[in-house]
Amino acid sequence: GENVEQHPSTLSVQEGDSAVIKCTYSDSASNYFPWYKQELGKGPQLIIDIRSNVGEKKDQRIAVTLNKTAKHFSLHITETQPEDSAVYFCAASRPSNTGKLIFGQGTTLQVKP
Amino acid sequence: DAEITQSPRHKITETGRQVTLACHQTWNHNNMFWYRQDLGHGLRLIHYSYGVQDTNKGEVSDGYSVSRSNTEDLPLTLESAASSQTSVYFCASGSGTGNYEQYFGPGTRLTVT
């Protein structure tokens, strides 16, 4: 079945450095790739998403890149701040699934002041 | 403001008991989803619904059921709770009309003793 692999499982960076989280997906028909941020004790929050018709999308300090040929996509956070510390999840969906998402295993990001 | 709520936020129950977790959204979204979150597994889909009277099984549906009698609510029932169902449960909703975005509730932490 459809599978999404996420790496690394934990990531520790110094405040101000960049962080990169990578995901690979198995279903070549997938066309929607969101990223969620989950803070302790809360539900996941959508922070950015990308569709298969674009290769990159930016929103202030975060960006997502997509390589359809290699079937992988990445989250880039620049100028990290302590409040970026959280668990990040990637996900993928194919057009026929009407919003049904397959999630990666999550990455715990720690930003050290 | 429109929102998605879950209740209770915390629940302790005994093995074999029936438990129902509530999910209520005020966005008038067609799509609603139930996930469970366990360490090392990320978010796994239990059941989902694309509208009133529609329900579908996800990847980990055994031991769970849902019903959709109106647009706003998708209660999740554990027919006979088992210790393996100790987890954090998240409900999510999405408009589904060509829009894949999902919005999550705050979660219910369920402990089965």
Side-chain angles (χ1 to χ4, degrees):
Chain A
E2 190 173 356
N3 188 45
V4 177
E5 295 288 335
Q6 183 172 346
H7 298 280
S9 56
T10 60
L11 179 60
S12 181
V13 300
Q14 209 64 36
E15 182 178 359
D17 288 349
S18 295
V20 181
I21 303 170
K22 300 181 179 181
C23 289
T24 59
Y25 59 97
S26 61
D27 188 348
S28 58
S30 296
N31 71 333
Y32 174 68
F33 308 93
W35 285 90
Y36 286 83
K37 175 183 180 182
Q38 185 178 26
E39 297 175 338
L40 199 62
K42 297 184 178 181
Q45 179 185 13
L46 178 67
I47 56 172
I48 194 168
D49 56 13
I50 192 169
R51 297 179 188 272
S52 58
N53 57 343
V54 298
E56 183 176 5
K57 184 177 179 181
K58 290 182 179 180
D59 183 3
Q60 299 183 335
R61 295 187 297 107
I62 62 173
V64 57
T65 58
L66 172 65
N67 183 325
K68 287 182 62 180
T69 303
K71 291 192 287 187
H72 68 70
F73 57 111
S74 300
L75 177 71
H76 304 254
I77 306 174
T78 59
E79 302 173 19
T80 54
Q81 301 168 3
E83 52 264 38
D84 294 329
S85 296
V87 180
Y88 291 81
F89 291 96
C90 64
S93 179
R94 61 192 315 204
S96 60
N97 283 352
T98 318
K100 185 175 145 187
L101 297 173
I102 303 299
F103 283 86
Q105 295 84 353
T107 296
T108 301
L109 173 64
Q110 181 186 26
V111 180
K112 298 178 181 178
Chain B
D1 288 342
E3 61 177 355
I4 182 167
T5 57
Q6 293 184 237
S7 62
R9 294 295 313 277
H10 302 271
K11 175 79 175 176
I12 300 174
T13 191
E14 295 177 344
T15 302
R17 290 191 179 269
Q18 184 181 77
V19 177
T20 296
L21 309 183
C23 175
H24 180 79
Q25 53 96 3
T26 58
W27 282 301
N28 201 36
H29 283 164
N30 289 324
N31 296 356
M32 295 185 73
F33 307 85
W34 273 104
Y35 297 89
R36 62 177 288 174
Q37 184 174 38
D38 305 287
L39 205 60
H41 290 281
L43 290 151
R44 292 183 291 175
L45 185 63
I46 305 172
H47 281 287
Y48 57 102
S49 168
Y50 290 148
V52 176
Q53 301 301 330
D54 176 73
T55 60
N56 305 278
K57 294 181 179 180
E59 65 176 304
V60 290
S61 61
D62 287 349
Y64 304 94
S65 64
V66 294
S67 62
R68 188 90 179 269
S69 58
N70 59 51
T71 302
E72 296 80 17
D73 300 288
L74 187 71
L76 176 71
T77 297
L78 286 68
E79 305 293 344
S80 178
S83 57
S84 60
Q85 295 177 308
T86 292
S87 187
V88 181
Y89 292 85
F90 289 99
C91 179
S93 72
S95 65
T97 50
N99 187 332
Y100 295 96
E101 295 178 8
Q102 287 186 29
Y103 300 93
F104 282 78
T108 294
R109 181 174 294 276
L110 177 68
T111 302
V112 183
T113 61

